Amino acid sequence: MEIGITGFGIMGPGFNNSDQFRDILFNKSFVLKKENIFGKYTYLGRVLEEDIDISSYPKEFSHLPKTAKMLLHTAREAIKMANIELSKHRTAVLVGSSGGTISEIIKLNDKKDRSPYTIGNMNNYSLSSSLSAAFGLNGMSFTLNNSCTSGMDAIHLAKILLESNQVDVCLVGATDSTLESLILGGFSDLRLLQLWREEGFPHGPFSKGKGFMISEGAGVLVLERADIPDREPSCIYGKITRSLLTQDGLSAYRSDPLGKQLKCAIDYCIFENFPTYINSQALGIKRIDELEAKLYRQKFKSTNIPITSIKGMVGHSMGAIGLFQIVSALISIRDNFIPPTLFCDTEQHPGVPIVTDVIFQLVEKVLITSQGYGGSNNCLMIEKGKS
C-alpha cells in the first residue's frame, strides 16, 4: 500500500513556514542565539510567541500550551497544502513529543498561576486532542512520548494504521518546547549542552564537540492512502516506503554504544534500495556522531552516499526534530538540492562523505535516522512522489 505525504507545515527558531525553512537550508543560515544559562553561555533556538498565529481558531485555543499552539500553526499550512477536508475522511491524529507539556507544568507550579485550564494544559494528550478539536476529527487520536524519536515514531504508527486500512488519512505532528531552566540545568549537569566558543563558531554535527544545541518547534504532515474513494491529490511530495523503530533494551539512561539496533533499523529501510543521501541524527555529541559515522562507513563504504545533518543550522528540537528532518527531505526532493552540515569537522571522520555546502542534484530518495534518550531508534526512507 502506497502512503503519500500530501501536505506539510513547519515552524522553528527563525522560521514560521516551509518557505522560510527552505531558505535557511539553502542559504546555510545559523538561526540559534547565544544565551546565558547558569553563568555559562550556550546556543538556544527559541520560537517567539508573537510568531505563533492561531488567530483563525476559536478563542479558547489561546489558553493552550505553547507546544499545542505551534502544532495548530503548522497544521494550517499542511492542510492547506494538501487541499483536503479531513472531517470527510477516516482520519487519525498522531502527535509525538519528547517533553510534551512539561514546560507548562513548570510554569504552573506556582499556585497563583493556576486556572480552569491548568489540568487540561498539563495533560500531554492535549497536544493531539487540540488538533482533533480544531478540525472536528472523531477518529483515533494519540500522543506519543518516546524521547527524541517521538515524531518519527508517530509517523511509523500512522503508516501501520494506513496500511491496515483502519484509516484513510493521518494528521501527524511533532512538537517540543523544553527551554526551561530546570530542563536546561539537567542537560547542563550531564554536560550535553554545546557551550559558547569565543571564536564565534560552535561545534556542530560530526565535529569534536561534546554537546548539542537545543531548540524548539513543531511540524505537521498529512499522510494518505493511495486508494481513498473520490480523492485524487494534486501533488504527492513524498512516499514513505519503509520505516522501523527499535529499542536498545539496555538502560533508561543511555543508548547502546555499539548501535546494534540502530543498524537493524538502517538495514531494514535500505533493503538494497540505497538513498540519494542520508539525513542523519548527528547532533554534535561526539560519541553519538562517531557511532553513526562508523555505521555509515561499514554500510556505505563503496557507495559514497552523501551524509548531512541540519542540526548545525536549526539545533536539536527534541521530539520535533524528526519532522524537521522529514520536511527538509521533502523540500530537497522537491527543489533538487542536498542541504549542508554546518560547523562540522570532516577531519574527525575520514571516509565519511559529509556534505559541507549545498549540493545541487536530483534527489530521489532520502534515508532519515533518529535516536533518543533511553535507547530508542527510528529510521525511515522517503521517496519522490508525483507532482
Side-chain angles (χ1 to χ4, degrees):
M1 168 56 62
E2 183 176 292
I3 306 301
I5 301 171
T6 57
F8 53 86
I10 193 82
M11 80 176 310
F15 57 95
N16 304 325
N17 55 56
S18 58
D19 288 339
Q20 293 176 3
F21 186 41
R22 188 261 183 200
D23 290 342
I24 288 168
L25 300 173
F26 189 80
N27 295 319
K28 298 174 60 175
S29 301
F30 180 60
V31 296
L32 279 64
K33 306 295 184 183
K34 173 184 176 183
E35 289 195 30
N36 189 329
I37 303 295
F38 305 115
K40 296 180 180 179
Y41 287 101
T42 186
Y43 306 85
L44 300 181
R46 296 187 185 273
V47 173
L48 301 179
E49 292 277 359
E50 56 264 33
D51 289 337
I52 306 172
D53 181 10
I54 57 169
S55 59
S56 61
Y57 297 100
K59 186 176 180 180
E60 181 187 51
F61 285 74
S62 65
H63 299 285
L64 286 166
K66 185 177 184 179
T67 42
K69 290 178 182 177
M70 291 191 295
L71 277 175
L72 292 168
H73 177 108
T74 55
R76 187 174 55 242
E77 180 184 13
I79 294 168
K80 181 179 179 180
M81 187 182 294
N83 190 25
I84 187 172
E85 190 170 340
L86 295 173
S87 60
K88 290 185 176 181
H89 305 281
R90 296 182 301 162
T91 302
V93 174
L94 304 96
V95 174
S97 180
S98 180
T101 60
I102 190 170
S103 292
E104 193 72 11
I105 295 170
I106 292 171
K107 292 174 185 176
L108 293 173
N109 192 44
D110 191 336
K111 183 176 179 178
K112 69 175 184 293
D113 290 327
R114 294 177 190 164
S115 78
Y117 300 99
T118 296
I119 295 300
N121 288 349
M122 290 171 60
N123 183 359
N124 287 341
Y125 186 60
S126 67
L127 300 179
S128 51
S129 65
S130 63
L131 288 180
S132 296
F135 303 105
L137 305 176
N138 305 121
M140 288 181 277
S141 179
F142 301 91
T143 298
L144 305 181
N145 299 117
N146 288 8
S147 190
C148 294
T149 63
S150 296
M152 299 248 301
D153 294 348
I155 292 170
H156 183 81
L157 178 54
K159 187 172 183 288
I160 292 172
L161 294 176
L162 291 162
E163 289 178 338
S164 60
N165 197 24
Q166 297 184 61
V167 295
D168 294 319
V169 182
C170 286
L171 189 64
V172 184
T175 182
D176 253 316
S177 176
T178 56
L179 305 184
E180 302 296 332
S181 58
L182 176 64
I183 300 166
L184 294 172
F187 280 121
S188 179
D189 291 344
L190 292 171
R191 298 181 180 178
L192 290 178
L193 290 183
Q194 171 66 233
L195 297 179
W196 176 264
R197 301 179 68 213
E198 291 300 328
E199 302 95 309
F201 298 102
H203 287 305
F206 294 120
S207 70
K208 52 189 175 184
K210 297 182 180 179
F212 69 96
M213 299 177 285
I214 190 170
S215 62
E216 61 184 355
V220 169
L221 303 177
V222 177
L223 273 57
E224 303 185 36
R225 289 169 55 92
D227 59 352
I228 303 177
D230 303 317
R231 168 73 176 158
E232 181 64 34
S234 57
C235 185
I236 298 175
Y237 296 94
K239 297 181 294 183
I240 300 176
T241 54
R242 294 177 78 84
S243 70
L244 185 67
L245 60 95
T246 61
Q247 181 23 262
D248 292 341
L250 295 178
S251 171
Y253 303 107
R254 62 183 183 275
S255 56
D256 178 12
L258 300 178
K260 289 181 288 187
Q261 294 304 316
L262 175 61
K263 182 180 182 299
C264 287
I266 292 173
D267 288 344
Y268 175 84
C269 291
I270 294 296
F271 192 63
E272 300 179 355
N273 190 16
F274 283 167
T276 306
Y277 77 94
I278 299 169
N279 194 309
S280 173
Q281 150 73 13
L283 71 167
I285 298 176
K286 187 176 180 180
R287 57 180 174 81
I288 294 177
D289 295 1
E290 285 181 343
L291 167 61
E292 289 219 32
K294 180 181 178 180
L295 291 177
Y296 298 149
R297 276 194 296 266
Q298 293 173 348
K299 184 71 179 178
F300 307 111
K301 58 184 176 182
S302 61
T303 59
N304 206 39
I305 294 173
I307 315 292
T308 194
S309 171
I310 63 171
K311 296 176 187 178
M313 291 180 275
V314 298
H316 179 50
S317 55
M318 310 302 286
I321 193 60
L323 269 290
F324 278 33
Q325 290 175 258
I326 290 166
V327 172
S328 71
L330 293 168
I331 290 171
S332 68
I333 288 172
R334 183 193 65 191
D335 295 348
N336 292 309
F337 74 93
I338 302 175
T341 307
L342 214 59
F343 309 126
C344 66
D345 185 352
T346 56
E347 293 181 359
Q348 293 289 314
H349 303 285
V352 180
I354 301 168
V355 179
T356 58
D357 208 346
V358 176
I359 297 176
F360 300 96
Q361 70 169 82
L362 182 67
V363 178
E364 296 280 358
K365 304 169 188 174
V366 182
L367 180 72
I368 299 170
T369 63
S370 182
Q371 294 174 273
Y373 194 80
S376 59
N377 309 282
N378 199 317
C379 187
L380 64 82
M381 182 80 81
I382 291 181
E383 295 190 7
K384 191 178 184 72
K386 63 177 184 179
S387 57

